[in-house]
Structures are given as C-alpha cells and as structure tokens.
Amino acid sequence: MRDYKDGGPLSEVAVWSAVLTVQADASGLDTRSLAASVAADGQDGYVSLTTVLQIPGEPGTADVQLQFSPLPNGVLTSVEPEDMAEAALSLRDLPGISSVSVLQHGDPVSVTVASPATWTDLAPAIRAIPGFGSGAVSSVTLATQHDTGESSTLTFDPRSPAAELVPVLSEIAAAKGVTSVSFNGVDTRKEFSAWRPSLRVTVDTRSARGLVAARLTGLDDSDSSANGLPRASFTASTGGIDASQDLRGYLGLPLGSAEPDDRMTGLPGAVPPAAVDPAAAAARLELDRALVTALLDAAGDAAGIRGPASVTTETCVDGENEQVQGAVVIPIFEIADSADEAFDAITTEWGVQGYIRSDRAMGRDFWSVPDGSLDTLSIRGTAEGISIMVTAPCVLL
C-alpha cells in the first residue's frame, strides 16, 4: 500500500484505514456498556478505523456483531453504540435467528436465519418490537445462505412489504426450482423522487421461471400493494448472461403491462418541486462558484502557496441540471520537501469549519459538509502536490 502525498511510502497514520475485531466473552456481559467502550476506543486516534464487536450467543440466543465505522461520504446518520446494542438484544432472542449484525449509519440490520420458511413468523414478530422503524433498527434484512452458495433475502421496514406478501415470498423461496429470492421494500427517498420496491427470483429452469411469473402476476391487490406505496416490480431469471430471457413485470399485473404511474406515491411530505425561476437558478450557480473558488483559495493560503484552480459549471449526472465543480493541485513541493504540514493545515481548517472526514478510497480522503452547501469534497497527496476536488449540489434548471 503506497501513497504519493510526500512522494513515497505512507508516512502518516491519518492516511491508513484499518479494521479491528474485538471478540467478547458472552458470560455476564453488559452489552450496552461494552458497545460504548469499544466504539469510543475505536475513535481515539487518526487512523480511519472500523471496529467490529463480536458477541457469541448463549444457548437459545443468536450471535451478535456490532460494527462501528467512520461516517461515510454524504451520510449524516449515526446511531449511538448503546442503541445499536439495544437493537441487537431485542432481536437475538427471537426463535430461528442464528446471528444479528448491526451497522452504525442507517443500513438495515442483518439477521441470519436457517430458512426463508421462518420469514412468515419472524417479519411480524420483528415489526412488533417497540421502536422498530427508527434508530438502529429502522429496517431489517432476513438472510439465508443456501447449500448451493446462493442466498435469499427479505429487506423490510414497517410499511413494506405488505404483511400478506411475506408468506408468498416465503412460499416462492421454498418452491422447487427456485435458487434465490431477494426482495427490497425499504424506501430510502429523502426528497421528491421516483422509487418502487423490487423483487428478484432466480430459478434453475425455464419452466420454473414461468411458474414464478404466473404466481406473481396472479396476486391480489391485498398481497401486492403496501399501505399506498408503489407496486413492486419483479424479475424472474434463470441467471447467466442472457438477461433478455428474463421475465419482468409488476406484482398483480399481467406480463407486458405498462409501468404503473405510482413511483412518486408514499413518500411522507413529498411535494413536487416548484417551477424553476431561471434568474434564481443563475444566482444560485454564481453563489456556488464563489463558494468553491473561496474554498480552493483558502486551501492554498493554508498550505502557503496557491495552485491554478479550475472552477466550472457542468451538467449533473441526470443530464438535465447543472452544478459547480472545482479542482486544484497545490504545488506544495515548490516551497517544501514534504506535503504533510500543508495537508494537515488544510484539513485542520476544514475541521474547524465543521466539515467531517467521512471516507477514504484509492488514497483520497472524502469529507462531508453537514449544512449541505457542498455535495462532495476530497483531498489527497500526489507526486505533483495536494489535489483537492469539490462539487456543489445540482441546481434545478
């Protein structure tokens, strides 16, 4: 593992990422206190550290795994360690569960079960747990590893899938010729946008594929609709590279039906975006240009030398709207033998401004901006100097 921040091998602990696994003794354990202690110890230092706390189950209870990690780029959700422990404890005693894994930043809790046949009883039992649907247990994935190496999963929250659909999914997963089932009904929309639940069933023969499609298209509305949410789509596939032979459709509708016009439904508080004022959009882009330019200039001032910054307005990935993008390589080696001091000065200033280092990939540190004024912000060392890249949010046009 190498980094060219100072032209050679890694020399700063801040550029390392590490995973630490802590194995606990189940006897007489205060799970909440241990979770808080392990999480706190993992945050002590500069290394980007993911800490995994493993707690073996006692007879009749499931194994527990709690994973504490730095805040990912663009994610602002973080669950307290004690709440993660509480979530695991509320699930580990349920019958049929072999393990419970709780993550820290809003991902579904992973619950391993021996067979999809348990879904019918477990899903309503989990939904009945006080507090389910928020905090550490906002959603759950029931997962089964099959002998063939395939796995089946059911990801659900309080609203989706409909209670009547869970036994159907359990039945299909156990049907002859079915090798895996994957249903995701968790609505992760944070703003007005299109979405629908999805189901994928993999089978080992064409005849099984047809039977599955017939079962799904023949569902009643009570089975296929969930509390006003969009109707789920499905794919019945034999796997392999020839996806053109997959059967695709929507639960309870004949094959070949047009896509239901319901992908915007079910989002609490969803309001269509107001008509865009061109003058307001242009003013927003101008403000973003000023913000990005100022950030890049300030980074150069903190380092002691400015680089040639590029600040442009580009089309967003949706192909319709625009955002301001900026980049600079600060030529630090013109004034110093090492980039370390300048690198630290820049990131220290970002921390003072409330920015949060949230991720690291390919030698680049990613930072989150809690007020949403920037979409992405990253920094890394290169052989030419310190590279900084930044984008502002997309502006509707």
Side-chain angles (χ1 to χ4, degrees):
M1 185 175 182
R2 293 174 64 85
D3 186 286
Y4 293 95
K5 183 176 69 173
D6 59 358
L10 291 165
S11 61
E12 287 290 319
V13 294
V15 303
W16 286 88
S17 296
V19 177
L20 172 66
T21 300
V22 178
Q23 183 73 41
D25 182 350
S27 59
L29 187 66
D30 183 343
T31 306
R32 298 169 186 82
S33 297
L34 179 61
S37 176
V38 170
D41 290 342
Q43 295 172 359
D44 186 18
Y46 293 99
V47 173
S48 177
L49 180 64
T50 295
T51 308
V52 179
L53 172 59
Q54 296 179 342
I55 305 172
E58 297 178 330
T61 67
D63 296 337
V64 166
Q65 178 173 288
L66 307 179
Q67 180 173 305
F68 313 103
S69 61
L71 199 65
N73 187 43
V75 176
L76 300 180
T77 301
S78 186
V79 181
E80 292 298 325
E82 295 89 344
D83 294 336
M84 296 170 63
E86 188 66 40
L89 292 174
S90 68
L91 292 166
R92 71 180 305 181
D93 293 333
L94 294 177
I97 293 177
S98 57
S99 69
V100 177
S101 180
V102 185
L103 304 181
Q104 195 170 13
H105 303 302
D107 298 285
V109 175
S110 179
V111 174
T112 304
V113 297
S115 167
T118 63
W119 293 356
T120 301
D121 293 328
L122 272 178
I126 291 173
R127 280 173 163 165
I129 293 175
F132 176 67
S134 62
V137 66
S138 59
S139 58
V140 165
T141 295
L142 299 179
T144 298
Q145 189 71 32
H146 301 299
D147 294 337
T148 59
E150 301 281 352
S151 61
S152 290
T153 59
L154 168 62
T155 301
F156 64 96
D157 61 15
R159 299 198 298 167
S160 178
E164 295 81 1
L165 181 58
V166 176
V168 176
L169 298 174
S170 178
E171 168 200 325
I172 291 174
K176 183 178 179 180
V178 174
T179 57
S180 71
V181 169
S182 178
F183 181 89
N184 189 342
V186 176
D187 185 352
T188 58
R189 292 174 294 180
K190 304 300 183 185
E191 57 186 15
F192 189 79
S193 58
W195 166 85
R196 71 172 65 256
S198 61
L199 168 65
R200 182 176 180 84
V201 181
T202 304
V203 298
D204 58 9
T205 64
R206 293 182 178 180
S207 59
R209 180 181 61 196
L211 291 173
V212 167
R215 179 73 174 93
L216 296 174
T217 56
L219 292 174
D220 296 332
D221 278 348
S222 60
D223 297 331
S224 57
S225 300
N227 302 321
L229 291 174
R231 187 182 297 265
S233 63
F234 75 83
T235 300
S237 174
T238 54
I241 61 174
D242 190 6
S244 64
Q245 299 300 311
D246 292 350
L247 298 179
R248 295 180 172 85
Y250 305 93
L251 301 189
L253 297 180
L255 285 176
S257 296
E259 181 176 7
D261 185 20
D262 62 355
R263 292 191 303 159
M264 298 292 190
T265 62
L267 178 61
V271 178
V276 176
D277 179 353
R284 178 71 264 171
L285 288 169
E286 192 60 34
L287 288 172
D288 288 344
R289 284 183 62 86
L291 174 64
V292 170
T293 300
L295 184 145
L296 297 178
D297 287 347
D301 293 342
I305 182 173
R306 290 187 181 184
S310 169
V311 179
T312 59
T313 301
E314 306 292 342
T315 302
C316 299
V317 293
D318 61 14
E320 297 179 359
N321 303 302
E322 293 184 347
Q323 68 181 164
V324 174
Q325 300 179 4
V328 68
V329 175
I330 298 173
I332 191 62
F333 300 117
E334 293 183 9
I335 62 171
D337 294 330
S338 169
D340 292 351
E341 185 175 344
F343 193 99
D344 292 341
I346 294 169
T347 55
T348 297
E349 180 60 29
W350 288 356
V352 170
Q353 295 182 44
Y355 302 169
I356 302 168
R357 193 178 69 177
S358 55
D359 199 5
R360 180 174 173 82
M362 303 297 291
R364 181 170 291 274
D365 290 336
F366 292 86
W367 289 67
S368 297
V369 182
D371 66 5
S373 58
L374 297 177
D375 190 31
T376 65
L377 174 62
S378 65
I379 183 172
R380 73 156 296 163
T382 71
E384 291 74 34
I386 299 174
S387 167
I388 298 174
M389 301 174 67
V390 57
T391 63
C394 286
V395 175
L396 297 178
L397 298 179

